[in-house]
Amino acid sequence: MSDTLIISIDAMGGDYAPGAVIEGVARVAKTDPSVFFFLYGDEAKILPLTKQFGLKPDRFKIHHTTQVVKADDKPSAAIRSGRESSMWKAIMSVRNGYAHAVVSAGNTGALMAMSKICLGTISGIDRPAIAAVLPSVEGPVVALDLGANAECNSQNLVEFSIMGHVLYHVLFGTEKPTIGLLNIGSEETKGREEIREASSILKGFGDKLNFQGFVEGNDICLGKTNIIVSDGFSGNVALKAIEGTAKFAAKCLKQAFKPLWARFGLLFAVSGLLKLKKKIDPRRYNGAMFVGLNGISVKSHGGSDAFSFACAIESAIRMAKNNLCDKIKAELSNLMEETEETINQD
Amino acid sequence: MSDTLIISIDAMGGDYAPGAVIEGVARVAKTDPSVFFFLYGDEAKILPLTKQFGLKPDRFKIHHTTQVVKADDKPSAAIRSGRESSMWKAIMSVRNGYAHAVVSAGNTGALMAMSKICLGTISGIDRPAIAAVLPSVEGPVVALDLGANAECNSQNLVEFSIMGHVLYHVLFGTEKPTIGLLNIGSEETKGREEIREASSILKGFGDKLNFQGFVEGNDICLGKTNIIVSDGFSGNVALKAIEGTAKFAAKCLKQAFKPLWARFGLLFAVSGLLKLKKKIDPRRYNGAMFVGLNGISVKSHGGSDAFSFACAIESAIRMAKNNLCDKIKAELSNLMEETEETINQD
């Protein structure tokens, strides 16, 4: 492929598709001239939207599809009978080497299942994981797994740690990002066996990974480590608990500032509040990634607007430009070889 | 025992003990004339504090102890060699029928282990759980288990649901509080097997329990159900994720209102903000309870000040006045019998 990056877009997935999707694509096209888009979906709906949002004809090609994976379709059913869908066709373009990454705001389970089947798992990775970037007191945090695997063994947790390490490096440039294993106490004797086992394997990597030991639920938003590793059940619970708390806090604040004179007082803090809003705007952190696959597949939030869909596309572009998959493969074999050597020496 | 309620206090546990503890006791003594306190700890330290905080001599008796369980003592070690400690002696007073409940701000693991040994588990309950009351959009939520059992089977989750049901009724008077099982999706097919199994057992109770099915992490703070049931690992992760998010939000807000003119603006919202602070003040929700034991044992936060320690004592009083343990026993045998009948009829 040339220097142009090709990103495939499932234009029909998400609550506000295809409008918000095409508007998001147009935003990215304006700021990044190196990207060309494949748009999968209903041409009759997409074409007028490209004109409306000023997406120039030389920046995209529409691949017309007639089928749509619905939000409540079961992943198994979507795989069986969704082969003509915009989602499937968009993923297949990555598998067949025509595109560098796929982005969809559609059904998460279906996107995960289809991505796994079409792209396949990186050799050496037992289970792919869902990763996302979250805001914290200390800056961005990469958390994984956020729901792909309800149960995990120690080896899965070790693989997630390695993938998180590479992902953080690719996204933020940090050479040796810190890694924490989510547990219910920081002592060595605490928590489930698979977590204690994963901890001792991770310690075996020595300097190669910046493993900091156990972290707890509060350490996610406090940013104690750059990467938080957990099974998909705890990770999903934590992620959603954070979302719920943020909504609760916002609701309480709105109530406190409801009287007219209180709202008048807000004017004095307007610049600080706008900065705060920008910093923790969940839309900026949109774009969950399926890591561990032989290809880049990014899930945008189902309720994405144009701005947040654009952020998800930008994540996909960053991963593609940095050859995330190749780097995970290389880092994995690198670390595995060294560990085997260490084990053999012992 | 007479109408007077006797509450045993571990005066030596917690970061600000015994000062904050005795001040908290004095606060409760002033508002509730029906309670008499056993204070366990160093008499030479406690006696002057009772005078300082105006705790009248006819409202307490000091049981002098010389040993203290430290915050970093291992539970196993505390059990082996802590039999002369203020914590152990305070719990034993409940076991021996001299007191109605014990409250401690000391080492959680040690308090749990000692309470389990001294008080024993209610017959029919396999594993006691840690429960707490959390604020939510819709009012107080009881969540359990919050860390006593890192792994649980379906039967444990069912027992937690029954205990949560009784606890919520005792604390808030709601006749049929709603119960949700923490999962990573609301569909029947989602999550771990033990959770799906617990769900089908809970459905079998029919009208006896107000079981609403699966809830997710965000539903805790949004108050989707009155009671949230989970294994101790997920529950602990969720609780701490909520704490971390709240701290993060508070920090962000402080930053937004840092400039002098912004702080001036806050004056306009002062009454709303004070109401908000009162409503979600974590100190009001202090007092984790070990439910499923043959006696009432309440854990106050390690960093408790006098106000929050008083809140924990008040929880213990409410549970004691309402015969929480007897009610759990009665409800348990009631529900179990009916289920067995239903099963036998099938």
Side-chain angles (χ1 to χ4, degrees), chain A residues 295-309:
Chain A
I296 297 162
S297 174
V298 170
K299 167 70 173 75
S300 180
H301 199 285
S304 294
D305 61 10
F307 175 73
S308 61
F309 197 84

Side-chain angles (χ1 to χ4, degrees), chain A residues 40 62 76 94 120 133 167 189-190 232:
Chain A
Y40 288 82
I62 298 174
S76 52
V94 176
V133 179
L167 185 59
T189 53
K190 282 263 179 153

Side-chain angles (χ1 to χ4, degrees), chain A:
Chain A
M1 289 190 266
S2 72
D3 273 1
T4 298
L5 212 65
I6 299 182
I7 306 290
S8 284
I9 305 288
D10 168 14
M12 308 308 283
D15 303 345
Y16 306 110
V21 172
I22 303 302
E23 194 185 344
V25 168
R27 271 172 179 262
V28 178
K30 268 171 207 153
T31 56
D32 191 337
S34 71
V35 187
F36 185 88
F37 294 94
F38 283 171
L39 307 176
Y40 288 82
D42 185 345
E43 184 158 19
K45 285 184 183 155
I46 295 172
L47 198 56
L49 288 166
T50 60
K51 283 172 193 156
Q52 183 184 335
F53 297 115
L55 181 61
K56 295 200 182 130
D58 59 347
R59 302 296 301 280
F60 70 91
K61 174 177 165 44
I62 298 174
H63 293 268
H64 180 65
T65 58
T66 49
Q67 205 184 10
V68 175
V69 175
K70 289 192 209 81
D72 53 358
D73 283 350
K74 283 196 177 171
S76 52
I79 287 170
R80 263 198 319 275
S81 53
R83 304 283 164 119
E84 295 301 320
S85 66
S86 54
M87 189 185 276
W88 179 271
K89 296 266 185 184
I91 301 169
M92 281 303 282
S93 70
V94 176
R95 178 207 169 117
N96 293 331
Y98 296 110
H100 296 81
V102 54
V103 183
S104 171
N107 182 323
T108 311
L111 184 65
M112 177 83 200
M114 284 181 172
S115 298
K116 217 167 150 180
I117 287 185
C118 296
L119 305 176
T121 304
I122 288 177
S123 147
I125 297 286
D126 186 29
R127 306 235 213 122
I130 300 178
V133 179
L134 305 172
S136 90
V137 173
E138 303 291 337
V141 164
V142 161
L144 73 169
D145 175 23
L146 296 175
N149 313 284
E151 275 160 300
C152 293
N153 60 30
S154 58
Q155 194 54 39
N156 300 142
L157 295 171
V158 171
E159 288 168 10
F160 298 167
S161 305
I162 296 170
M163 295 194 291
H165 163 86
V166 180
L167 185 59
Y168 201 95
H169 177 69
V170 161
L171 291 176
F172 306 109
T174 311
E175 210 48 61
K176 284 272 173 83
T178 51
I179 301 170
L181 258 180
L182 191 62
N183 202 344
I184 58 172
S186 50
E187 305 86 2
E188 280 307 306
T189 53
K190 282 263 179 153
R192 294 183 168 144
E193 204 191 327
E194 64 269 22
I195 301 174
R196 294 198 301 270
E197 218 174 88
S199 166
S200 78
I201 300 175
L202 285 166
K203 277 179 189 157
F205 287 115
D207 286 350
K208 305 288 157 196
L209 283 181
N210 197 346
F211 177 59
Q212 301 283 314
F214 298 140
V215 292
E216 300 185 62
N218 47 335
D219 295 324
I220 305 172
C221 279
L222 299 178
K224 193 172 175 189
T225 54
N226 298 138
I227 300 149
I228 306 272
V229 175
S230 69
D231 67 87
F233 193 95
S234 322
N236 189 282
V237 163
L239 177 75
K240 287 180 180 158
I242 291 170
E243 278 177 16
T245 314
K247 275 189 193 159
F248 180 37
K251 204 161 182 163
C252 288
L253 268 177
K254 264 189 198 151
Q255 227 161 14
F257 283 102
K258 211 176 176 183
L260 198 60
W261 60 89
R263 265 183 280 170
F264 175 69
L266 273 188
L267 290 175
F268 293 89
V270 115
S271 98
L273 285 172
L274 285 178
K275 251 191 250 168
L276 166 63
K277 202 184 164 192
K278 198 175 163 189
K279 185 177 159 197
I280 61 167
D281 186 347
R283 299 182 305 163
R284 301 180 76 80
Y285 295 90
N286 183 34
M289 302 143 246
F290 298 134
V291 291
L293 298 177
N294 271 314
I296 297 162
S297 174
V298 170
K299 167 70 173 75
S300 180
H301 199 285
S304 294
D305 61 10
F307 175 73
S308 61
F309 197 84
C311 292
I313 298 175
E314 280 160 4
S315 286
I317 293 173
R318 222 171 303 140
M319 289 186 265
K321 281 190 178 162
N322 285 286
N323 297 313
L324 179 73
C325 300
D326 291 343
K327 279 191 182 150
I328 289 178
K329 276 182 222 172
E331 194 72 25
L332 199 70
S333 70
N334 178 13
L335 284 166
M336 288 307 175
E337 264 173 35
E338 288 187 20
T339 335
E340 274 163 30
E341 277 168 25
T342 322
I343 292 168
N344 292 339
Q345 278 167 13
D346 285 347

